[in-house]
Amino acid sequence: MRKALFSIAVLSTILVPVVMAADTTQLKSYPVDPTTGLIMAPGWEVVKQQCNACHTSLIIPQNVGSREVWRDTIQWMIDTQGLWDLSDTWEPVLDYLETYYNETGIDMQIFRRKPLDADKMPPMPKKLSSANKEH
């Protein structure tokens, strides 16, 4: 029993600083670009170039999500909004968005609530068929 407790104490002494160092690097604070509103962390320039070509980057913090949510959102933009294929910039863009605009990182000092889940969103308006449109 005593040997097990000693092993746990030794392991925690070794592992805790390593885990804390990993957290520190991930939580490193970066300035915010006053023009784009983007966090100026590694990858921000690529996101700035890709996203600001079509819309303001100020919309990014309003639409936070996981890597999968960001991938789906960008794919929707490609499929329906005329966005070009991101080619070799897919991974850097997703890495940046997932790291700095993930829903777990929402600053509740800035936003009044987390984004609604899709099932809680109001229904999207339906397009009228050409036969039903009034002139």
Side-chain angles (χ1 to χ4, degrees):
M1 177 71 166
R2 216 175 167 106
K3 195 173 188 178
L5 290 174
F6 177 75
S7 297
I8 291 170
V10 169
L11 280 175
S12 65
T13 307
I14 294 168
L15 293 177
V16 167
V18 172
V19 170
M20 288 176 69
D23 284 348
T24 304
T25 55
Q26 210 169 27
L27 297 176
K28 184 176 178 183
S29 181
Y30 293 98
V32 173
D33 178 46
T35 305
T36 64
L38 292 174
I39 298 170
M40 296 169 68
W44 84 278
E45 293 97 344
V46 174
V47 172
K48 175 183 158 184
Q49 292 168 348
Q50 295 288 358
C51 300
N52 280 2
C54 297
H55 59 74
T56 176
S57 57
L58 297 174
I59 198 169
I60 292 170
Q62 298 173 13
N63 294 289
V64 296
S66 65
R67 185 180 196 89
E68 210 172 285
V69 167
W70 281 115
R71 183 185 309 278
D72 290 347
T73 301
I74 294 168
Q75 189 62 55
W76 171 81
M77 290 180 211
I78 291 169
D79 294 343
T80 65
Q81 304 302 305
L83 178 63
W84 53 87
D85 182 16
L86 298 186
S87 303
D88 57 341
T89 62
W90 264 104
E91 292 308 311
V93 166
L94 290 173
D95 290 345
Y96 174 85
L97 293 172
E98 175 187 37
T99 302
Y100 300 102
Y101 295 98
N102 194 319
E103 64 185 27
T104 58
I106 294 174
D107 184 348
M108 295 309 285
Q109 299 296 322
I110 297 171
F111 299 102
R112 63 185 178 91
R113 63 168 172 77
K114 289 188 175 188
L116 293 174
D117 292 332
D119 63 329
K120 294 186 175 96
M121 293 292 289
M124 293 296 289
K126 295 179 182 176
K127 288 185 177 181
L128 295 174
S129 68
S130 57
N132 293 341
K133 287 185 182 177
E134 294 181 4
H135 298 286

